[in-house]
Amino acid sequence: MRKVVLIPGDGIGPEITDAVVRILDAAGAELEWEHCEAGLAALEDGDDVLPEATIEAINHHKVALKGPCTTPVGEGFSSVNVQMRKQFTLYAAVRPVRNLPGVKTRFDNVDLIIIRENTEGLYSGVENEVTPGVVMSMKVATEVGCQRIARWAFRYATVRQRKKITVFHKANIMKMTDGMFLRAADTTHKRDYPNIDYETAIIDAGCMRLVQDPAQFDMLLLENLYGDVVSDLCAGLVGGLGMVPGANFGDNEAIFEAVHGSAPDIAGKGIANPLALLMSAVMMLNYLAETDSHNAHHDVADRIKSAYDLALTDGAKTGDLGGTLSTEEFADAVIERL
Ligand code: NAI
């Protein structure tokens, strides 16, 4: 049994993690969960938003499956997600965005991998009031950070046999920060990966091209904020936030989580789509199969993937995809098809 950390999170987090754990157990995943808290749930239990015990558990087991965590808007505590990514230097967020069978959308040929730099940019959290009525937020880019995400993206493209990387940037305006990000990608491409197709696009025009014809892109490489925003835009191309999984990788640890948040508008109703977290768990199993050289994890991942593809094809869907199933009923539909 491989022990991994499980963080249910806030809002719909506990509902979707319960459903996903049930599916993984039914599929025979050789996993043992170490339950940990983070976010509002931890705060309400009188702990820090990112408790020391959770940090220790992730340090120890190296891999976590995480539900979404709420961050209050405008005031209150700072994001536990940002803290976690910084704590473990999880600098590469990977978000595969693909059409799934049975889910009708405007496009039927979307197959994108988004690589988001996860630790720098405007998420450095350095904000201050210069004088009453004037506030500022610092966008931070480092050469080390820009180069490591560029190398990571090109290495990923090579290993996964992807064809092209497009960098979205705004280096025409942010000449130093986005300029550094762009130069790191340019140099990495020219020096080390000339065989991978490469292009750059100013992000506003890039977004227009994305919503007109997403099939012209293969992999997108973006700094932190652009990656955050474009991930949700791309989710909209394939049916919504319930459809896009994600992983946050550092050199030592990996945390798997859906792109979506804690969805307070539907929390507690039992209607959230567990698919994005389930797909994140499939990514985790494939990662464990590779890092632990344990092929059985690959087999379980394949069985789960086939089962949810089949469930969707048969019309089993939650409300966000136009269906009528509850979170639990969708989980049952997947389990029946394992
Ligand atoms: P959100 O992603 O939680 O929700 C946006 C919309 O999508 C809502 O209408 C919601 O009902 C729907 N939605 C999201 N996931 C869904 C699912 N699995 N099934 C069905 N519908 C789903 O984004 P929002 O409202 O901007 O953020 C809510 C909270 O989540 C905030 O506190 C935010 O900071 C946090 N958040 C946490 C993230 C994380 O933990 N990784 C990521 C994004 C946001």
Side-chain angles (χ1 to χ4, degrees):
M1 285 286 180
R2 171 60 152 95
K3 215 163 181 182
V4 298
V5 175
L6 181 71
I7 302 169
D10 304 317
I12 59 169
E15 303 162 41
I16 57 174
T17 39
D18 278 356
V20 167
V21 165
R22 210 152 61 73
I23 295 168
L24 289 175
D25 285 348
E30 296 171 34
L31 297 176
E32 202 181 312
W33 305 103
E34 174 150 352
H35 291 254
C36 288
E37 282 190 341
L40 262 185
L43 209 59
E44 281 161 10
D45 278 359
D47 217 327
D48 289 339
V49 274
L50 182 53
E52 200 52 47
T54 304
I55 296 176
E56 268 173 32
I58 298 172
N59 266 328
H60 186 67
H61 299 298
K62 308 290 177 209
V63 174
L65 181 65
K66 173 186 165 294
C69 293
T70 297
T71 309
V73 176
E75 53 186 26
F77 59 84
S78 60
S79 164
V80 66
N81 303 308
V82 173
Q83 282 184 48
M84 225 181 244
R85 290 164 194 170
K86 282 196 182 147
Q87 172 77 35
F88 300 105
T89 323
L90 303 172
Y91 58 87
V94 180
R95 281 110 183 247
V97 183
R98 295 195 187 95
N99 290 110
L100 287 185
V103 182
K104 202 168 157 29
T105 56
R106 199 179 302 258
F107 303 102
D108 54 13
N109 50 2
V110 182
D111 179 8
L112 285 168
I113 305 283
I114 296 173
I115 309 284
R116 164 186 177 190
E117 201 293 323
N118 227 5
T119 54
E120 301 198 325
L122 281 160
Y123 289 71
S124 61
V126 184
E127 287 193 308
N128 56 35
E129 185 177 48
V130 182
T131 189
V134 183
V135 288
M136 68 176 208
S137 190
M138 190 95 76
K139 177 158 173 165
V140 178
T142 66
E143 225 156 46
V144 169
C146 293
Q147 288 172 357
R148 75 182 169 196
I149 191 67
R151 279 197 303 272
W152 203 95
F154 279 99
R155 205 168 43 235
Y156 182 96
T158 308
V159 172
R160 304 285 160 142
Q161 300 176 333
R162 304 294 300 204
K163 290 183 283 302
K164 182 169 90 169
I165 292 185
T166 305
V167 181
F168 278 8
H169 67 89
K170 196 79 190 175
N172 49 332
I173 306 296
M174 278 157 280
K175 295 180 195 298
M176 292 186 81
T177 47
D178 282 19
M180 184 184 275
F181 191 85
L182 191 56
R183 262 196 320 280
D186 281 351
T187 309
T188 307
H189 169 245
K190 279 202 197 84
R191 192 187 51 209
D192 302 326
Y193 298 92
N195 296 334
I196 291 176
D197 288 349
Y198 175 74
E199 66 169 345
T200 64
I202 293 180
I203 186 161
D204 33 359
C207 286
M208 191 254 335
R209 286 170 58 197
L210 256 180
V211 298
Q212 276 188 330
D213 175 20
Q216 63 186 290
F217 298 105
D218 185 39
M219 277 178 66
L220 300 178
L221 171 60
L222 311 96
E223 65 83 75
N224 209 341
L225 177 63
Y226 306 154
D228 190 2
V229 175
V230 170
S231 294
D232 280 31
L233 183 154
C234 289
L237 301 173
V238 294
L241 282 164
M243 303 271 292
V244 181
N248 304 296
F249 293 109
D251 289 331
N252 300 307
E253 285 86 12
I255 299 183
F256 295 80
E257 64 177 338
V259 166
H260 63 72
S262 55
D265 53 336
I266 57 166
K269 296 185 180 163
I271 56 170
N273 188 350
L275 192 50
L277 187 67
L278 181 61
M279 291 161 80
S280 309
V282 166
M283 288 173 77
M284 182 181 78
L285 285 167
N286 284 325
Y287 172 79
L288 288 173
E290 283 154 29
T291 50
D292 297 358
S293 303
H294 189 61
N295 258 332
H297 291 315
H298 271 318
D299 299 339
V300 175
D302 287 348
R303 285 181 59 211
I304 295 174
K305 187 176 175 313
S306 303
Y308 67 64
D309 276 352
L310 196 58
L312 290 170
T313 308
D314 291 345
K317 286 174 205 151
T318 44
D320 55 313
L321 300 180
T324 54
L325 298 191
S326 67
T327 309
E328 286 306 320
E329 286 165 343
F330 180 76
D332 291 340
V334 175
I335 290 168
E336 276 163 27
R337 291 165 177 82
L338 279 167

